[in-house]
Amino acid sequence: MTTIRGRPPSEATAGAGQSAMPVRLDAVTFMTTYLVILLAVPADRRVEVLGGAGAPAALFATLGLLWWGWQRVQSRRGLAFQPVKAALAFLTASILASYVVSASMALPATERSVADMGVLRLAAIAGILLVAHDGVSSPRRFLVLMRRISVFGGLYATLGLLQFFTGQTFVNTWSIPGLGDGGWISVGERAGFIRAVSTAMHSLEAAVVLVMVLPIALTVAIYDRQRSGLTRWYPVAAILFLSVLSVTRSALLGTVVVIAVLFWTWPRAVRLWMAAAIGFGLIAVYAGIPGMAGTIIGMFTATDPSLVSRTDSYDTVAAFIDVSPLFGRGLGTFLPSYWILDNQYLLTVVETGIVGLVALLLLIAVACWAAVSMRRVWEPRDELMGAFGYALLASVLAGSLILAFFDAFSFPQACGMFFLTIGLCGAYLNLCRAEATPWPDAADVEQPRAGRQRWIAGVAALAVMAGLSTNVLATPPVYYAQVDVLFILPEAPDDSNSLLGDPGLTLYLAGVVEKQLNAESADSEALTTFAPLYGTGIRNGHWIHIPDVGGQWETSHDRPLIMIEVVGDSPAQVGEDLRRHAERTADLARSSQELMEIPASLHIRTSASPSVPTASMIGMKKDRAAAGLALLTIIVVAAATRGGDRLLAGRSRRRTDDGPDGRTADAADPRVDRTEL
């Protein structure tokens, strides 16, 4: 963007290329309030009348989105490219596309409701990111927010340390008017040690908060010399000790990432001092808490069922990606009844597809770039502001690492802290731009004239989305039916049938038949633990299995029956497939016993229930699909029009800068200083 140098940025100026929010309501105050709600209110509290949509922090962040939108409507839009907001728009579009897919799939009613919740979650994370991105008015206010984050992190860790040493949660006794208690917060245990959670629902969620606050607290402690040493260093000490004592691999790995990123950016004296302090702290933990060192080493060397479960998830993820590779099945719809992935990246690719995963990775990469790309503008006169670039980089990298160890976006504190930090990366870039090139008066900025060129891309995008919408809304329904084939003992059993001596052998016969059936059917799908087959998104196929009451963690079969599920394009097809598979099940049960030379009168019989299954039609929810398509169209058309604006501005700039004799316009008028942002 070409701008004319003007007066220095004021307190109400957010940064280069955009108008700031007026100071009538300071965004730093808003984010401070958000952090108090996010970290001080136990994560399992909800506004009861709103159910799952009643998380206080998410509601407050959604209000932030409305506030941000209102301010943007009133302000003049700058032309400078905002990479973090562009990446957020891409992520938003991918999530809305996945919502449209979920509305067109044959999902159970509970999952449709969760998909609606996913859109509300999107509004919350977008709200807090955008307020953080556009609302920080000056380096002074940015510093105020960083100090508050450090203090909040120290208090958060202090509660966790109290839980570790006492074994009490404390938060379960808190009563907050208007909020219901979910009863989900409890301190866990590993190798005899308490796994503190502070106000989070899980120790892994607490780990995300700790490692994302740690680099900010370290930077404030080292460089912010205007405050007392205790105020600066206590949060660092509390966070580091709780990270080590948390008996959580993720917290330890995240702490290592933070130290690895920041260590080489510190002055030499600070590096020596910090190395000595960390070494002393580790010795103190080893000597003061017997067994902790061995437990920590064992977490990284011994076989852990949670690690095995994570690696076993890859085949399941690949199968779901094959069903809907580009846009997934809808944010939040991959419930534990299908599989527990414990990996946010895998969960993202299942729920929002390859496009959604690329959008998330792009947002992370852009945030990291924004944090360090222009940090040198503060050197050498403002060492603290320059150091915050590396702090934000370390925070995003550490948080991104932990996303690989659990489904972080399902937990309010982890999700909120992650997107708040990404928004602060964008705010930091804005402040760097303002420092490098003071933002001129709005009247001094030449805006490109509206012309038909800028609308060509928007009209083309609208036409594409109209055609896509028509195609999506014409998605045909899916038909589903299920039958249970029960294995029944004969009416007059005797010792001639060895399978009757032990009830477990009847179940064994069912297992033998199930294995033979699946060997004959290469397309028999096994993509869920408890959910129905149609919920996987498969439109034509079947699943033959013995119900597993143990689920993902431990296989357990307690009933001798085989469940046959079929989905297809028509009731006739579904009914025919069910009949064929049920008859084949009975044939295999009979032939297996004949091979054992068991008399027919003593055979274990099979019985189908219901005897005449009825196929149910499960169609798309057109109202949800239409709403999702409308929102997606607005974003796509706006992005295309914005691209047309930038293209037109670039062409206008080149015409202005190039004089008739090849010289730039600046050469003709030395009073004008133009800077490319």
Side-chain angles (χ1 to χ4, degrees), residues 97 281 288 298 310-311 318 380 518 550 619 642 650:
R310 289 181 174 94
T311 56
N518 286 322
R642 177 69 169 172

Side-chain angles (χ1 to χ4, degrees), residues 291-313:
M292 177 60 73
T295 299
I296 292 175
I297 295 173
M299 288 192 300
F300 294 95
T301 58
T303 302
D304 190 328
S306 64
L307 292 178
V308 174
S309 173
R310 289 181 174 94
T311 56
D312 288 346
S313 300

Side-chain angles (χ1 to χ4, degrees), residues 462-514:
L462 181 61
V464 170
M465 290 303 301
L468 179 63
S469 300
T470 301
N471 183 63
V472 170
L473 294 175
T475 302
V478 170
Y479 293 89
Y480 167 83
Q482 167 193 328
V483 65
D484 295 338
V485 179
L486 295 85
F487 287 68
I488 304 172
L489 295 176
E491 296 179 356
D494 61 22
D495 295 338
S496 301
N497 188 344
S498 59
L499 294 177
L500 306 182
D502 184 353
L505 293 179
T506 307
L507 183 59
Y508 169 75
L509 175 62
V512 170
V513 174
E514 178 210 31

Side-chain angles (χ1 to χ4, degrees), residues 224-562:
D224 186 15
R225 301 180 181 90
Q226 298 180 6
R227 299 196 303 165
S228 66
L230 178 63
T231 304
R232 291 154 48 203
W233 285 103
Y234 175 77
V236 174
I239 292 171
L240 282 174
F241 272 113
L242 183 58
S243 297
V244 174
L245 301 179
S246 64
V247 205
T248 303
R249 278 184 297 263
S250 300
L252 294 173
L253 291 173
T255 302
V256 169
V257 169
V258 169
I259 300 300
V261 172
L262 296 183
F263 189 81
W264 304 108
T265 69
W266 296 329
R268 185 173 183 273
V270 175
R271 290 202 302 267
L272 294 176
W273 189 90
M274 286 295 297
I278 292 172
F280 176 79
L282 292 176
I283 293 173
V285 170
Y286 176 79
I289 305 179
M292 177 60 73
T295 299
I296 292 175
I297 295 173
M299 288 192 300
F300 294 95
T301 58
T303 302
D304 190 328
S306 64
L307 292 178
V308 174
S309 173
R310 289 181 174 94
T311 56
D312 288 346
S313 300
Y314 298 150
D315 290 340
T316 300
V317 169
F320 273 93
I321 293 175
D322 186 60
V323 172
S324 183
L326 290 181
F327 299 111
R329 51 181 287 110
L331 183 64
T333 61
F334 194 74
L335 301 179
S337 56
Y338 292 97
W339 201 262
I340 300 175
L341 294 180
D342 281 332
N343 184 321
Q344 184 58 53
Y345 295 111
L346 293 181
L347 189 60
T348 297
V349 75
V350 170
E351 292 185 342
T352 61
I354 297 173
V355 175
L357 177 63
V358 171
L360 175 61
L361 295 176
L362 179 63
L363 180 62
I364 293 171
V366 168
C368 292
W369 175 85
V372 296
S373 62
M374 293 185 66
R375 58 165 297 277
R376 292 186 179 276
V377 302
W378 305 104
E379 298 175 352
R381 65 186 181 283
D382 198 334
E383 190 180 28
L384 176 57
M385 281 299 296
F388 276 133
Y390 286 128
L392 291 171
L393 173 66
S395 183
V396 173
L397 288 177
S400 302
L401 172 68
I402 300 182
L403 296 188
F405 296 99
F406 82 122
D407 49 333
F409 295 169
S410 300
F411 294 82
Q413 290 183 357
C415 185
M417 199 70 203
F418 184 78
F419 285 97
L420 172 63
T421 306
I422 288 180
L424 291 176
C425 291
Y428 183 78
L429 176 61
N430 289 337
L431 294 174
C432 291
R433 285 176 168 180
E435 182 70 13
T437 306
W439 182 239
D441 290 329
D444 294 334
V445 181
E446 180 183 356
Q447 300 290 341
R449 293 191 303 269
R452 65 180 183 180
Q453 295 94 335
R454 65 178 295 189
W455 298 108
I456 293 177
V459 172
L462 181 61
V464 170
M465 290 303 301
L468 179 63
S469 300
T470 301
N471 183 63
V472 170
L473 294 175
T475 302
V478 170
Y479 293 89
Y480 167 83
Q482 167 193 328
V483 65
D484 295 338
V485 179
L486 295 85
F487 287 68
I488 304 172
L489 295 176
E491 296 179 356
D494 61 22
D495 295 338
S496 301
N497 188 344
S498 59
L499 294 177
L500 306 182
D502 184 353
L505 293 179
T506 307
L507 183 59
Y508 169 75
L509 175 62
V512 170
V513 174
E514 178 210 31
K515 185 176 180 180
Q516 291 177 319
L517 288 168
N518 286 322
E520 296 175 355
S521 304
D523 63 336
S524 183
E525 304 290 345
L527 299 185
T528 81
T529 50
F530 304 111
L533 176 62
Y534 65 85
T536 63
I538 296 173
R539 298 187 60 88
N540 282 284
H542 65 275
W543 184 25
I544 300 174
H545 62 106
I546 299 175
D548 182 5
V549 297
Q552 170 178 344
W553 309 107
E554 181 182 3
T555 300
S556 178
H557 304 294
D558 61 353
R559 296 185 63 195
L561 67 85
I562 292 178

Side-chain angles (χ1 to χ4, degrees), residues 91-128:
L91 179 63
T92 300
S94 67
I95 292 176
L96 288 176
S98 72
Y99 178 76
V100 173
V101 172
S102 72
S104 62
M105 289 175 59
L107 295 182
T110 54
E111 292 174 45
R112 294 194 188 280
S113 177
V114 173
D116 295 339
M117 288 290 301
V119 176
L120 298 179
R121 287 167 52 194
L122 172 62
I125 62 179
I128 194 59

